[in-house]
Structures are given as structure tokens and as C-alpha cells.
Amino acid sequence: MRNILLILFVALSPVMAFANFNTKAQSAFLIDYDSGAEIVNKNGDVLMPPSSMIKLMTLTVLFDEIKAGRLNMDSRLPVGPNADYTNPLWYPASKVCLVSGQTISVRDAILGLIVLSGGDVSVVVAEYLAENENAFTDLMRRKAREIGMPQSTFGNASGLPNPNNLMTSRELATLAEYVISHHSDIYPLFATKRFDFTEHKTDWCREWGRTHTVNYNKLLFIMNGADGLKTGHTADGGYGMVASSIVGGRRLIGVINGFRGNGHDALAGEMKKLLNYGYTTTTTHVFYRPENKIANIPVWYGRNNTVTATVAKTFAVTLPHGTGLHGVRVLARYDDPLRAPIAKGDTIGEIIAEQDGRVIARAPLVAAERVSKTRFIGRIIKNLNIIFGGK
């Protein structure tokens, strides 16, 4: 039997839609981390060159290797000729300044990518994890599809101009959300303001390193609560940034691309304006977090009579500031009874938030624990109980 549990109901009241954010950037996209609500969407689904923001995908593939236990922060990665500082590719580009034949620790590689936007390090990572950089782009593409990025394409690991380097602002936000949620142990490194690489092998590189230590992400220096992620710039594509911040316990993720302002300081100012727009014009209401009990659903042929329904990800809604929860109701829908066996994390229903009859948020209900199936004799006893009026 299909059951609908009304969890919250508030009397109807009209709610205004989010207004447009004024920016000269070619694309701007802003979401609430908990609710996933789009607060700003200017050309969010238009493919554009991501420049060095593509390094977020390079880092993501590397992070997955660490999480799988195949690398750790102290592992050493070899530097090949393609990453050598004398390669003409790196003369005008951002780099850590490496020499073929040396090695670099995974921790320094990560900081070199985050803080110094080292294109040379991206090649080191690519060549270690795949046969070559071209093969590594296949790993990038597969990872993108896995986490819900159907449009992004990759021509290299660094973001240097390549016709195949194309991403949308929406998908860059999806990537940032993945990094924050799936690699929370590594994510704090994105807030690093300065990085001094101490293993330069030539005088030229030591001089380079002496003057290149500060994160290109200037938002970290001008906005309290900003904690990542990555900037980018090419002459053709302009300036771009994927950013996140927490203010008042609420996380927003913003993306700007195709910005023609005067340098990274101007880019940071534009991103701060975008994030503050989200904080001042909208409010997020959290209803349930993972492991919160939402309902006890009866189970048929289970060793337990019920299973606890919860959510895998925080369930929340984002509304215009000052409107409260007028017109919002939250419902849980599920079949009753469920049939055992049920594994922890199995989808067992759906939770929906409606406003004035319109669905504004939905998410799966999942099992908070495992419920195994009763043995054959237990099922016979259960059937006999029902036949003779028991439960």
C-alpha cells in the first residue's frame, strides 16, 4: 500500500522568485550546498573554456586514488621531461617549477595545484596515474560522467588552451560539491593562502619560488568564511573562479567564468558580490540531515518488523529571504509494507517539499539500517499469525 506521511504543513502564501544577479561575467552560477537550489543562473549550461579551473578535475582523480589507498600524502611522484620547467609550455604559464628527474610528494603536488595553479604538476599527476596526459583525460571524462557532468570535455590536465577543454558553470559547481562532500578530509587544503615549495633544484626555480607563494584565489583574503576552491585565466577565456564559503553555518558554491575585470583581485571582488547576494537575498531551511529518523516503515518477512527511513544527503529548501516557510509542506512517500531483505542505504521511498502545490525539492528516502530476511520457518510463523489474527 502506498503511504504518504505529511511531515510539515504551513498555510499558503505567495513567494517571490529569485531576482537576477547583475554581472558583466559571461557566466555566473550560484547554488546552496544543502538544498542544491539555484540562486543565480546566467548561462550556467553554456560550455566555455574553464582554463585552470579544470585542475579541480585533475585533483579529483588524484583524491580518489588517495581515498582508495593507492597513494598517500607522503607518496613521491616522478617528474618527467614534459613537466620540466624548461619546456616552452611552462614559460608563460603558472607552475611550481620542477626539473625532470626529481620527485614531488603528493601533498606538495596538491598544494602546488591549489595555491600555485601549477600546470607542470598537473602533468606529473597525469603521467603517474595514466600512460600519458592524453590517456589521463579519459579518466577525467569518466569521472565527470560518474558524478553527473554529462557535457564536460577535456583536452589536457592543466587547462592550457585546447579546443576540447570545455565545461559549464553548472558542472563546475557539481564538481566542487563532489570535492567538498566526498573528500572532506582533504578539502581544508583549498583554504591555504600561501605555499612555499622547498625542493627547487635550480637557482632559477628557487628565485621563481621565492616570488610565487600566494594563492591566486584572492577571495580567501577578502571574505570571511571563504574556503576554496580554484581560479583560472586565459587571454581568450578571461578570468574564472569556482568558490565556496560558509557564513552563519550555511555553505554556498559560486562559479564565475568569462570575466573581463582587471586581474584576480577584481575577480575576487565579483565573486564576493555573488556570494553575498545569495546570503542576503535567500534563506535555507534544513529539514533533515543524514541519520535523522523520518519514519518507521513496516517490513514484511523481516527479522525486524520495521526499518528506519532517513536521507542520504541533507534535505533542505532555499527560499527568498524573509518569506519563512509559508506555503511549504513536506511529505514522505513509501510503500507499506516493504519486503525484506533491505540493505542499509537502499532507496525505500521519497521525500518531497511542495510550495503552493509545486515540487521545490525532492530526494530519496533510504534505509538507515539493514533488515535481513527471516528464515523459512519464521515466514511460516508470520503467515500463521496473520491467518489467525495476529501481527
Side-chain angles (χ1 to χ4, degrees):
M1 182 177 67
R2 190 68 169 172
N3 278 346
I4 300 177
L5 174 65
L6 180 62
I7 300 173
L8 172 70
F9 178 82
V10 185
L12 299 181
S13 175
V15 177
M16 294 177 60
F18 302 138
N20 291 325
F21 173 73
N22 183 29
T23 178
K24 292 182 180 179
Q26 189 176 344
S27 177
F29 193 76
L30 181 67
I31 62 169
D32 182 277
Y33 176 77
D34 281 330
S35 71
E38 296 176 20
I39 302 170
V40 173
N41 184 349
K42 178 183 179 182
N43 296 325
D45 295 301
V46 176
L47 286 166
M48 300 174 59
S51 56
S52 284
M53 293 182 289
I54 208 170
K55 293 186 178 86
L56 280 179
M57 183 56 77
T58 303
L59 284 160
T60 297
V61 177
L62 177 59
F63 293 167
D64 284 353
E65 290 294 303
I66 297 170
K67 192 169 188 176
R70 291 185 285 269
L71 286 172
N72 60 56
M73 288 294 188
D74 295 322
S75 300
R76 306 291 299 191
L77 307 180
V79 178
N82 292 324
D84 191 282
Y85 81 103
T86 60
N87 185 326
L89 276 177
W90 311 126
Y91 176 71
S94 55
K95 54 185 169 288
V96 172
C97 204
L98 302 172
V99 174
S100 179
Q102 75 174 107
T103 63
I104 182 172
S105 71
V106 167
R107 179 179 293 277
D108 281 355
I110 292 171
L111 289 171
L113 284 163
I114 291 172
V115 179
L116 306 180
S117 197
D120 50 355
V121 181
S122 69
V123 172
V124 170
V125 171
E127 292 183 341
Y128 183 84
L129 297 180
E131 290 183 11
N132 50 56
E133 190 173 7
N134 186 56
F136 184 76
T137 62
D138 289 336
L139 299 182
M140 298 168 75
R141 178 184 54 79
R142 289 203 295 270
K143 187 63 186 181
R145 302 300 179 263
E146 175 191 325
I147 64 178
M149 301 168 59
Q151 295 192 75
S152 295
T153 58
F154 308 96
N156 57 45
S158 64
L160 288 175
N162 184 297
N164 291 322
N165 283 341
L166 293 170
M167 302 178 76
T168 69
S169 290
R170 180 191 299 277
E171 294 193 0
L172 281 164
T174 298
L175 180 56
E177 183 181 17
Y178 178 86
V179 170
I180 294 167
S181 61
H182 287 76
H183 297 291
S184 57
D185 56 333
I186 302 177
Y187 179 70
L189 291 179
F190 282 92
T192 305
K193 293 180 179 179
R194 290 178 173 83
F195 169 55
D196 290 286
F197 183 60
T198 60
E199 298 183 12
H200 289 116
K201 299 300 182 182
T202 69
D203 289 341
W204 196 95
C205 282
R206 277 187 281 274
E207 181 62 21
W208 170 271
R210 187 183 66 79
T211 57
H212 291 79
T213 62
V214 180
N215 200 319
Y216 287 98
N217 181 359
K218 306 308 180 187
L219 186 72
L220 298 173
F221 299 88
I222 66 170
M223 182 174 183
N224 291 332
D227 59 8
L229 297 161
K230 189 73 188 72
T231 66
H233 172 254
T234 60
D236 291 338
Y239 287 90
M241 179 188 289
V242 184
S244 184
S245 62
I246 297 179
V247 174
R250 180 187 178 197
R251 181 181 292 282
L252 298 181
I253 296 173
V255 181
I256 286 175
N257 204 1
F259 181 67
R260 298 291 177 179
N262 186 21
H264 284 92
D265 288 330
L267 174 65
E270 192 74 358
M271 179 57 76
K272 182 179 181 180
K273 187 172 71 169
L274 175 65
L275 291 166
N276 281 337
Y277 173 86
Y279 288 120
T280 58
T281 63
T282 65
T283 303
T284 292
H285 302 270
V286 174
F287 294 111
Y288 292 102
R289 297 191 183 277
E291 305 305 326
N292 285 165
K293 174 183 172 182
I294 297 175
N296 279 333
I297 303 177
V299 176
W300 183 246
Y301 291 145
R303 292 196 172 186
N304 297 332
N305 292 327
T306 63
V307 63
T308 303
T310 185
V311 287
K313 183 181 182 297
T314 299
F315 185 72
V317 297
T318 298
L319 300 169
H321 185 71
T323 60
L325 289 171
H326 295 297
V328 174
R329 63 175 186 171
V330 178
L331 309 97
R333 295 175 177 171
Y334 52 86
D335 290 326
D336 174 4
L338 300 170
R339 183 177 291 272
I342 300 169
K344 183 177 180 179
D346 277 357
T347 297
I348 55 177
E350 184 179 37
I351 187 166
I352 296 171
E354 295 181 346
Q355 185 175 53
D356 299 350
R358 177 177 60 90
V359 175
I360 58 174
R362 68 195 320 149
L365 287 175
V366 299
E369 67 273 339
R370 177 176 177 267
V371 179
S372 58
K373 195 173 185 178
T374 59
R375 297 184 182 275
F376 179 72
I377 188 65
R379 296 196 294 274
I380 293 176
I381 294 172
K382 181 74 172 180
N383 289 338
L384 289 174
N385 283 338
I386 291 175
I387 291 172
F388 293 104
K391 294 183 179 180

